[in-house]
Amino acid sequence: MPAPHRTRPRLPETSEAQRRARLAWNKGLTGKGRPPAASTPFEVCTADGCGSPAAAHGRPPAAGMVQVRGSADGAAAHWYCPGRCAAIARARAELRAVPMRQGGDR
């Protein structure tokens, strides 16, 4: 039976040069890292009419809205606020257009 894996003991910093080298390696960061963010990675859009179907409105529901066409599989077009919401909608439409594999995975 092989011997258990042992970790090398951490040697204390004994000189100022070692401390400077550690700070340079860590780019000046010391101590524990910050905890993960408690916020969600996305925020709900507060723009009125963002995400509404384009068929329901012949024109944008609010000034500056961008129409994002649905995917090639027949998804409907929707109105989104410019910027982040429109970019996410375009990316989702592109992902829906990826052909399905035999087993159901993309």
Side-chain angles (χ1 to χ4, degrees):
M1 185 171 195
H5 180 5
R6 296 184 182 177
T7 59
R8 187 174 144 204
R10 185 171 289 249
L11 299 175
E13 294 176 1
T14 57
S15 72
E16 183 61 28
Q18 287 176 326
R19 189 177 91 57
R20 282 195 311 269
R22 180 182 50 84
L23 289 174
W25 175 262
N26 293 332
K27 297 183 177 123
L29 301 177
T30 60
K32 291 184 178 182
R34 69 178 183 185
S39 63
T40 58
F42 61 91
E43 295 178 11
V44 177
C45 183
T46 58
D48 193 31
C50 185
S52 62
H57 303 284
R59 56 183 188 192
M65 290 285 185
V66 177
Q67 184 177 5
V68 177
R69 295 188 340 196
S71 62
D73 66 354
H78 287 74
W79 292 105
Y80 292 97
C81 60
R84 188 168 180 262
C85 290
I88 291 171
R90 285 187 190 106
R92 291 181 67 199
E94 289 175 9
L95 288 173
R96 281 194 302 269
V98 174
M100 297 286 280
R101 291 185 185 167
Q102 187 92 15
D105 295 336
R106 290 191 183 252

